Amino acid sequence: MNKYKTIKRRKSDRIYVGNVPIGNNAPISVQSMTNTKTTDIENTINQINQLKKVGVDIVRVSVPTEEAAEAFKIIKKKTNIPLIADIHFDYRLAIKSIKYGADCLRINPGNIGKKRKINEVVSCAKYNNIPIRIGVNSGSLESDILHKYKSPVPKALVESAIRHIEYLDSLNFNQFKVSVKASDVFSAVKANKILSKKITQPIHIGITESGSLRNGTVKSSIGIYSLLSSGIGDTLRISLAADPIEEVKVGYDILKVLGIRFRGINFIACPTCSRQEFDVIQVVEELEKRLEDIDTFMNVSIIGCVVNGIGEAKMSTLGVTGGYKTSGLYKDGIRQKNKISNKNIVEELEMYIRKKSSEIKKIKIINKNNI
Ligand code: SF4
């Protein structure tokens, strides 16, 4: 536990997306969205499985057409990850998706049209006991709100959200979460801060259309840190113009750094210099790839020489400190007799990390059984 960690989460109501709890102190869930054609059932299922491998909690799937709804029905049967059907405008697709097993709908009630249609969707969601996500986005604000505020300023985003919320309130439906997203970090943060004071429902956070892997990761990290450190955020999605798998990895990395949720390996690696005794960059990159499937949390330090290596290794679950031809190995901060050959450093470290992961898992099971 980091003694400098001061994050106190905002109190919110609890909803469930499938078996995933959201709000009221539930672990902050990590979401992503498929970017395959939903009608391409095989590739969509493959992508959901890939996302599952890196720890996704909930996956959103677009349902833009009748054919996509039929595909959604099949996809839903072939996965146990909770699925959110993403619907815009067409209430019939919303109803179909619920009937086909959606665990949540992402739909903005105000965009559906006549009150009768909204009523039908909400009744169906109520009957099937599934929640709704209201998702307001700076790129798709209602024209009258945009006209009033001239641009998608934070107050405009919140006004739009409240308008959708009022539709649900008028139908006595409170099983929903809300997102107000903007591609501008400051607007997104401000909008969420305003919203968080007006509702008790869970808030889904993210910086929308944040850009490429590098740029989007930077923007998302800053925005999400600002929100989480203010206690705002019950579930998140990192929106990247990149493989959705990267969204999940970045999401977990942010939560890990903030000490909120731990999954997988936290690599500590030096920036390298001429003192390095093995190729640190290549070793870390290779291990990150090979160990994507490890969900046990542990700190692993990979440091090119003794300058910082010993200090970091002493604070890590596993640590390696570069030496001439062979490198020093540390386990739980204690120097081990056996050294690692620099030639086989990737293979050997992979083996040690996997072994340590199994040990940690076994201890957790024993502790659980002893409670
Ligand atoms: Fe260079 Fe050693 Fe520092 Fe790494 S730990 S950057 S190899 S001095």
Side-chain angles (χ1 to χ4, degrees):
M1 180 69 73
N2 187 330
K3 66 179 173 180
Y4 303 113
K5 198 184 89 180
T6 54
I7 293 170
K8 190 165 176 271
R9 290 177 63 189
R10 154 189 172 265
K11 280 201 177 106
S12 60
D13 302 339
R14 167 71 56 87
I15 63 166
Y16 286 86
V17 173
N19 57 0
V20 176
I22 297 177
N24 192 17
N25 257 329
I28 294 171
S29 43
V30 177
Q31 308 196 20
S32 186
M33 186 168 183
T34 51
N35 63 1
T36 50
K37 284 264 174 227
T38 304
T39 44
D40 181 349
I41 296 169
E42 194 184 335
N43 277 325
T44 304
I45 291 169
N46 280 346
Q47 194 167 61
I48 293 170
N49 288 338
Q50 293 294 318
L51 291 166
K52 186 178 170 184
K53 212 171 144 191
V54 291
V56 79
D57 295 302
I58 298 165
V59 175
R60 183 152 52 108
V61 178
S62 287
V63 183
T65 59
E66 284 276 330
E67 295 73 37
E70 295 306 320
F72 184 87
K73 182 183 183 182
I74 300 167
I75 294 162
K76 176 64 198 155
K77 282 186 184 146
K78 301 211 166 165
T79 178
N80 58 1
I81 290 280
L83 296 186
I84 300 178
D86 188 273
I87 315 279
H88 287 274
F89 312 117
D90 191 336
Y91 82 110
R92 287 163 305 187
L93 294 176
I95 290 170
K96 258 202 169 155
S97 301
I98 298 175
K99 289 186 175 159
Y100 288 168
D103 297 287
C104 177
L105 278 189
R106 186 268 169 113
I107 193 165
N108 289 343
N111 298 347
I112 301 175
K114 292 192 178 111
K115 190 101 191 178
R116 171 187 65 80
K117 296 177 182 173
I118 302 173
N119 209 344
E120 264 192 61
V121 173
V122 173
S123 302
C124 193
K126 261 189 199 169
Y127 182 77
N128 289 277
N129 199 22
I130 70 152
I132 286 175
R133 164 156 75 106
I134 292 170
V136 172
N137 202 307
S138 57
S140 53
L141 267 188
E142 296 96 317
S143 51
D144 63 314
I145 294 182
L146 206 47
H147 188 254
K148 178 177 166 187
Y149 289 94
K150 313 288 182 236
S151 65
V153 294
K155 277 188 181 166
L157 295 172
V158 175
E159 185 167 321
S160 171
I162 297 296
R163 184 182 285 179
H164 296 301
I165 290 167
E166 281 170 354
Y167 279 110
L168 298 183
D169 279 347
S170 70
L171 296 166
N172 285 325
F173 186 82
N174 61 6
Q175 292 297 296
F176 61 88
K177 58 192 168 102
V178 185
S179 64
V180 280
K181 294 190 182 180
S183 51
D184 173 70
V185 172
F186 292 99
S187 300
V189 170
K190 181 76 183 166
N192 277 283
K193 286 189 173 174
I194 301 172
L195 180 73
S196 68
K197 295 201 173 79
K198 291 182 183 283
I199 62 169
T200 56
Q201 279 76 17
I203 296 182
H204 165 125
I205 57 170
I207 305 300
T208 195
E209 289 116 26
S210 67
S212 63
L213 179 55
R214 186 183 66 200
N215 198 23
T217 298
V218 173
K219 283 189 210 165
S220 299
S221 306
I222 293 170
I224 285 175
Y225 168 68
S226 304
L227 290 171
L228 290 177
S229 61
S230 308
I232 301 166
D234 299 288
T235 179
L236 61 83
R237 179 199 175 190
I238 309 297
S239 305
L240 298 176
D243 190 326
I245 285 158
E246 299 297 335
E247 298 188 344
V248 178
K249 289 190 204 166
V250 172
Y252 274 106
D253 284 346
I254 293 174
L255 293 177
K256 235 186 293 187
V257 169
L258 296 178
I260 292 175
R261 200 171 161 197
F262 302 97
R263 182 191 190 279
I265 296 155
N266 178 34
F267 283 107
I268 296 143
C270 72
T272 76
C273 73
S274 70
R275 286 198 183 91
Q276 67 175 345
E277 302 282 5
F278 60 86
D279 188 340
V280 173
I281 296 173
Q282 188 261 325
V283 169
V284 175
E285 278 180 4
E286 185 58 30
L287 283 171
E288 270 191 352
K289 256 188 257 155
R290 290 187 183 206
L291 297 164
E292 265 176 7
D293 60 305
I294 297 279
D295 55 5
T296 321
F297 173 72
M298 66 177 97
N299 289 315
V300 175
S301 62
I302 298 177
I303 309 288
C305 81
V306 291
V307 172
N308 291 320
I310 297 169
E312 290 295 348
K314 283 187 173 171
M315 294 185 284
S316 304
T317 321
L318 279 174
V320 67
T321 298
Y324 179 65
K325 290 197 177 170
T326 56
S327 292
L329 176 70
Y330 288 72
K331 210 171 155 186
D332 299 316
I334 298 164
R335 174 94 196 222
Q336 305 296 294
K337 280 197 190 116
N338 44 332
K339 288 191 163 198
I340 293 182
S341 147
N342 289 354
K343 270 191 194 155
N344 298 325
I345 196 160
V346 170
E347 288 70 25
E348 289 198 42
L349 266 178
E350 182 183 357
M351 186 266 291
Y352 282 117
I353 292 169
R354 289 194 180 279
K355 202 168 154 223
K356 187 67 186 166
S357 163
S358 314
E359 282 168 23
I360 294 172
K361 278 196 170 149
K362 262 186 215 151
I363 292 168
K364 273 192 187 156
I365 292 168
I366 293 167
N367 287 345
K368 209 174 159 189
N369 291 342
N370 286 342
I371 287 173

